[in-house]
Amino acid sequence: MKRSIKVLFFAAAFAASAFSQVDTARVPVIVTNTNALVKIVPAAGGNGFGDSASVTANQQHTLILRSPDGGFTSISHSAQKQPNAPALVKLGRGNTALSLHAQTFGNAAVELFSVNGKRILHGKASASKAGETNISRRNVARGVYILSVKGTDSNSFKSKLTHDGGKLNIKVAFGGAAENRLAKQSDALSGGWTLTASSEGYVEKSLTLNPQKGDNPVQTITLLPVVTSAKSALQYFRDENIKVGWNLGNTLDAVNTATNVAVEGAWGTPAATKALIDAVAGQGVDIVRIGCSWNGHIGDAPNYTVSAARLTRVKEVVDWVLGAGMKAVINIHHDGNYTSPPNTWGFLKFAEVRRGEADNNQVKDQLGKVWTQIANHFKSYGDNLIFETMNEVHSGNWGSGSGDAYQAEQDLLFEWNQTALSAIRATGGNNAKRYVAVPALGSTEPAYVISAHNRQKLLPNDPGNGTDKLIVSVHFYAPWQYTVANITCQGNNCDIKHTLTQAELNNIATQAGNIKTNFIDKGIAAYYGEWGAQTNGRRNMDQTIRDTHVDYIRRVAAAAAANGIVPIIWDDGGNFKILERSGGSIGKPNTPFATLVWNAYIEAAGGSGGIVIPPPGEPVPPANITGNLGNYAFGSQENGIDPNYTQALWELSAANAALAKAPGTKLVLRLSKAPAGAAQFVWQGRTSEIWWQDNDILGETGSPIKSGVTWNADTNTLTLNLSQALADYARFTAQPDLNLIFAYYGGESINDMGITSANLE
């Protein structure tokens, strides 16, 4: 098989007289809140002439764009060997320079002939040189010429083209019908344009547009005001009434571990959207911590250039947060993430430096240069943007330890925090006084923070600011077996636990008090940059477990608020998810249980938002359910007295109990609509006093997740084959009497499931 050739040509000629048919576009602009300078220019590699103007606040002004060469019409063409070229109109006389840039995917000879056969230009495009060649000649008459391309595999192409003082894009491909075309540039204004609005005392804002010829939609811009003050971070938190924080977790910090590149969506959480951020603001959030990983977006030494696209994306999310009236925190997040076998994802190779496998000076050089670029990118922002130097950097011990080796690790991280802070301050402008948060080792729990501080190895030297502009970054996940251990683990070798001792509960207030004594009382600000427990992971567990979880969240938030600490709850969109990331409930608690957790947090932290759920009227079980099970009663809370409205309870008669235990029996529920949330099937043995044998049967979206459970959308029928759906079926069939419970978490009560018929068949 012959190797195909793909050739991309840019033939350009420049002459002031060539602008015979100029394309124009009109882009109306409104800056809502201040007088501003607006301008629009072609993006890199773009084509055309922009415009600029001084505009009055909230008054529309139209910017006019124009192309340098007029529009061209696309010409369909079948690329065959030695094809007949489309006829183009010969132009009048007049000479101008002609240049030809050719890029090939294979070796090729590129030549341009006059119509009488005289060779005007020639060159060779070599695959070994990225397939590029540039050839040019001055004083070439405008008119029609023959373009010839000959590949080393005998494929060739000839066609006529016009040298008209304008710009031509010609693409020729052999062997692929989808690309077999000869086309002139169809829209001289395409290629991307940058619209910028700026005003003294406001953050400059830029938009990327692709305007079309003629009228374009109005671009409405609101600039963020830059507010700075001489206040300490602690006073700023108090005066701005910052009480409730939320983490945009597993989003901009997510890393594709196969490629080691930070990319949104790598861990299953959707990319951030403005709709999400606006909705989060509506939940009463005052500050958002945006974890930012830079893996795969940093160039090589010596400059360590940070990708412009990455900086632009982070800026976009920051602008959404600030534009919604909240404060924002950005950091270097998983670039120091330690994994096992011992290595680090990113450039903050703490473990490797400690083992002598990486150069500390090189790491600090890169850290300083990366922070210099981030700081410069956000230099004009005010106090409402906080920098955090790093996140959970450690050598494999998560920050615990003792003795000389541990102190050496504290010393090393102190060096790195100093490097980051010094780089930020050196950029000047608002960064000279920007609030900067610094962590301790690893999980930066209160004990680790206080230990480093007692050795004066926590807060870096900040000349001219003292400690006023620094914030202590604390994470609180105590006890870790309750908060972060693998919640899906089953068996005897699991760390996860769902109960808390009184000592563990008392420790919540004790640790917050220690932060107050060591920092808050001395005028140094502190926040819980991460804290929480796996709300989404416990949403379907029994009532006692869920009650304990809500109580834990309430206690941590209350202890933080009482001691002057700003709590910023961890939400990863997964097991720690509280606020939904997409869909109709975006930015709101994603389950009834999450609503309880979120309200407990807001109330305990003293926030002004949250979801207020008015006391509902007492639900009444339906009275017209058909089938041999008939109507259900509501289940009961753990106290055995108060009703649990999420549960449908059937106390089986002797005949129905015998039928339930018979081989092949199915529970068939006819519903008025499809399930919209998670559900459990539970059985109880009354005589045996077995009160909660649960089986997850429906997932979060209402779809079956258990073998033996099926949903028929045509008949709205949910069927459970009991012998397959019950993991403990043998024990179930051994019971002398039975209760069946269906627990539904997709509404306010089990009534929302719409059961119209319940049968054992």
Side-chain angles (χ1 to χ4, degrees), residues 209-221:
L209 306 177
N210 289 289
Q212 304 301 312
K213 289 181 288 186
D215 293 325
N216 287 268
V218 176
Q219 300 298 319
T220 301
I221 299 173

Side-chain angles (χ1 to χ4, degrees), residues 5 76-84 155-159 171-177 179-182:
I5 303 177
S76 299
H77 177 66
S78 176
Q80 301 172 354
K81 193 171 183 179
Q82 301 291 344
N84 294 322
N155 278 317
S156 63
F157 177 81
K158 283 186 179 180
S159 184
K171 182 175 184 180
V172 182
F174 296 96
E179 292 187 297
N180 288 346
R181 64 186 185 273
L182 168 64

